[in-house]
Amino acid sequence: MTSAALCLGLAAHGANDAEARQLQVILSSCAFHSFLVTGWCALSVMTSELFPTSIRGTGMGVCSGVGRIAGILVQYVNGAFIDQPLVLLLTAATCMMTGAFAPIICKLQDMTDKHLFEIPSMAMGVVEGDGQAVHKIV
């Protein structure tokens, strides 16, 4: 996300004089998009690991809902700054930088490789078929 924000900053710098720096705007926009897609994929994987297993689906749903609401609200910010591309792009880059450093500042507990304590051992059954034992939640 930090790399995407830096590329967006380069695009904002080039947008000041877009006709003279057309190649800079195009290349930084392409790099921004590739870093952004990579960052969002990694963020989706990491976010799911932050929640305990029993509320993981709910936590991801809340995060997704808040993200969608923010996506709606950001259109009003875009509309307010549409005539000032430098301010618009730098505002977006600042928001992305803030989001990139938020996990470092918050220091949340990592739930990676935690056992599934929510499933009682009595509910686990073994079903045998074709000579292979298969675990099944009863």
Side-chain angles (χ1 to χ4, degrees):
M1 290 298 210
T2 306
S3 299
L6 292 174
C7 289
L8 192 57
L10 279 174
H13 179 265
N16 251 353
D17 189 16
E19 297 197 16
R21 297 181 178 154
Q22 191 174 18
L23 183 62
Q24 177 184 349
V25 172
I26 291 171
L27 291 178
S28 59
S29 296
C30 290
F32 164 74
H33 185 70
S34 57
F35 285 128
L36 188 66
V37 168
T38 304
W40 276 113
C41 289
L43 189 63
S44 293
V45 171
M46 290 175 15
T47 301
S48 67
E49 293 293 330
L50 288 175
F51 296 105
T53 307
S54 62
I55 62 166
R56 190 165 287 165
T58 303
M60 286 298 294
V62 169
C63 288
S64 177
V66 168
R68 289 176 189 267
I69 291 170
I72 293 168
L73 295 177
V74 78
Q75 300 308 315
Y76 293 104
V77 175
N78 289 345
F81 293 135
I82 195 72
D83 295 331
Q84 304 167 356
L86 179 64
V87 175
L88 175 63
L89 295 175
L90 289 178
T91 302
T94 303
C95 289
M96 289 181 67
M97 266 315 196
T98 304
F101 288 112
I104 297 169
I105 295 167
C106 293
K107 295 184 182 179
L108 299 172
Q109 180 184 2
D110 186 15
M111 300 301 291
T112 305
D113 296 327
K114 299 291 182 193
H115 294 288
L116 301 175
F117 294 114
E118 296 79 23
I119 301 175
S121 59
M122 292 178 11
M124 295 294 287
V126 177
V127 178
E128 294 186 26
D130 299 311
Q132 296 179 347
V134 178
H135 288 284
K136 179 181 177 183
I137 298 175
V138 181

